[in-house]
Amino acid sequence: VNLTMGIVNELSQSAKANPFSLPCVRTADCAAPKGSNDDGLVPYGSGKFYALCGIGGMLSCGITHTAIVPLDLVKCRIQVNPEKYKGIVSGFRTTVAEEGFRALAKGWAPTAIGYSMQGLGKFGFYELFKIVYADAIGEELAYEWRTTLYLAASASAEFFADMLLAPMEATKVRIQTSPGAPPTLRGCAPMIMKNEGISGFYKGLPPLWMRQIPYTMMKFACFERTVELIYKHVVPKPRADCSKGEQLIVTFVAGYIAGVFCAVVSHPADTIVSKLNQDSTASAGDIVKKLGFGGLWKGLTPRIIMIGTLTALQWFIYDSVKVAFKLPRPPPPEMPASLKAKLEAQASKN
């Protein structure tokens, strides 16, 4: 823990050394009216900034994933037992008929803990890596390659976030899909530890990376670019002139659009994770061979509904936390003056 905090502090100090004039990540209170100063804002790139971003991510992911546990349970059951659970309505009806309404809440505790921890790492590290990577390549390249910057920062963040998520994800899926598993966290986690050891919690980590890293790369990069396009082509006034409410509506819409793409990109790996955590003897290769290409896409419709709503709400909650704690919210990127001057000089030569 001390080593990790030391690394974060060192990177934070490095980021603060350059207060970031980068357009895609510069310090600005976008919700403040023009002409206002930055008094009261948490310093951009400070340890407090990263900590509060992590708390925002913890709330956004923990709350939203816990709220949709019933839909997630049905989705997982469709993936692991499509003969019995043929669709969303059938899945809900069968589950309630056999186990009662309380069964729809199965796995809520590991979901709440696991995704809160994942959100802490996902959003906190994303903000950190976005600053560090942009600082490393300079403001002109950070603007020209901003989509790549978002992809790299989000992939790096998710790599660490999944290590926090994996134990609770394994427990959640076992509770939801294995008939003989204890129905509670305090019963199921010790059972996994006793029968399979610590590796039982992490056997799903590689496919979890396969699912979550592409998902998060799409989630952050698509969101950032969608926000940029909405303000450029849809909203009739600059973001700085929009009220906080108007900005949060844009956040929600961009988040939902990003969520739909996320669901499609990550669904096959999601199916593999569900099957791996259901069957302790299976391997990812065995599952792919058994299910075939079509089987990997079972449960896609409920997942699109789930992930679209989930992603939109996560960005809405995260942005709301930034507003509440007075965290800097960078405006849509603009071309640096130095790059603009270079392009104008090149154009005049031609």
Side-chain angles (χ1 to χ4, degrees):
V1 174
N2 291 336
L3 176 60
T4 303
M5 290 304 295
I7 294 172
V8 170
N9 186 59
E10 184 176 333
L11 289 172
S12 173
Q13 294 302 319
S14 173
K16 284 192 292 183
N18 178 353
F20 260 98
S21 57
L22 293 181
C24 57
V25 291
R26 65 176 178 268
T27 303
D29 182 8
C30 305
K34 285 184 177 180
S36 64
N37 58 37
D38 289 342
D39 289 346
L41 278 181
V42 174
Y44 193 62
S46 65
K48 184 178 181 181
F49 172 80
Y50 296 129
L52 290 174
C53 286
I55 290 172
M58 182 173 67
L59 291 173
S60 69
C61 292
I63 291 170
T64 52
H65 277 278
T66 305
I68 60 163
V69 161
L71 184 59
D72 181 53
L73 177 139
V74 172
K75 181 267 300 178
C76 286
R77 290 185 172 188
I78 291 171
Q79 289 173 324
V80 302
N81 194 352
E83 296 81 15
K84 182 176 181 180
Y85 303 95
K86 294 179 169 49
I88 302 175
V89 176
S90 170
F92 274 106
R93 186 181 294 129
T94 303
T95 299
V96 172
E98 293 185 352
E99 303 170 58
F101 280 100
R102 291 185 64 182
L104 294 175
K106 274 188 173 181
W108 74 268
T111 296
I113 296 169
Y115 282 93
S116 293
M117 295 303 294
Q118 185 215 32
L120 178 75
K122 185 199 299 269
F123 283 89
F125 279 120
Y126 174 69
E127 299 287 0
L128 174 66
F129 283 120
K130 188 168 69 168
I131 289 177
V132 171
Y133 291 164
D135 191 33
I137 62 177
E139 66 174 353
E140 292 182 7
L141 287 178
Y143 174 79
E144 293 184 289
W145 293 86
R146 58 192 181 279
T147 301
T148 304
L149 177 69
Y150 303 146
L151 291 169
S154 56
S156 301
E158 189 61 37
F159 178 83
F160 294 104
D162 286 346
M163 295 180 186
L164 302 176
L165 170 63
M168 291 295 101
E169 177 74 359
T171 307
K172 172 190 78 78
V173 174
R174 194 70 61 88
I175 289 171
Q176 291 178 336
T177 62
S178 295
T184 62
L185 171 61
R186 66 172 179 264
C188 192
M191 182 201 74
I192 295 173
M193 187 68 185
K194 179 181 178 181
N195 295 338
E196 302 169 43
I198 194 71
S199 63
F201 293 107
Y202 287 96
K203 64 172 291 187
L205 182 58
L208 193 62
W209 278 327
M210 287 169 54
R211 181 189 82 185
Q212 288 297 133
I213 290 178
Y215 163 84
T216 300
M217 291 169 73
M218 182 67 72
K219 174 179 180 174
F220 282 87
C222 185
F223 172 79
E224 298 270 21
R225 293 310 300 262
T226 303
V227 166
E228 182 182 338
L229 291 172
I230 288 175
Y231 279 111
K232 185 176 181 180
H233 299 292
V234 179
V235 178
K237 55 185 176 181
R239 175 173 163 173
D241 294 339
C242 295
S243 66
K244 291 177 182 178
E246 290 169 335
Q247 292 181 36
L248 290 174
I249 289 172
V250 172
T251 294
F252 184 86
V253 172
Y256 207 101
I257 292 170
V260 172
F261 286 100
C262 289
V264 175
V265 166
S266 61
H267 190 74
D270 181 65
T271 301
I272 294 171
V273 169
S274 295
K275 295 290 284 185
L276 271 176
N277 287 319
Q278 179 204 28
D279 184 355
S280 61
T281 63
S283 69
D286 294 335
I287 290 168
V288 172
K289 191 179 298 182
K290 181 180 177 181
L291 293 179
F293 181 80
L296 293 174
W297 296 96
K298 290 285 186 181
L300 178 60
T301 300
R303 192 155 189 270
I304 285 177
I305 297 170
M306 181 180 81
I307 297 299
T309 306
L310 193 77
T311 306
L313 288 174
Q314 283 179 359
W315 279 112
F316 185 85
I317 293 170
Y318 182 64
D319 229 19
S320 297
V321 169
K322 279 191 166 184
V323 170
F325 287 109
K326 295 187 175 181
L327 296 175
R329 300 164 65 228
E334 298 175 1
M335 185 180 292
S338 58
L339 180 59
K340 195 176 294 184
K342 286 182 182 177
L343 294 176
E344 288 173 355
Q346 289 176 1
S348 64
K349 287 180 181 179
N350 297 332

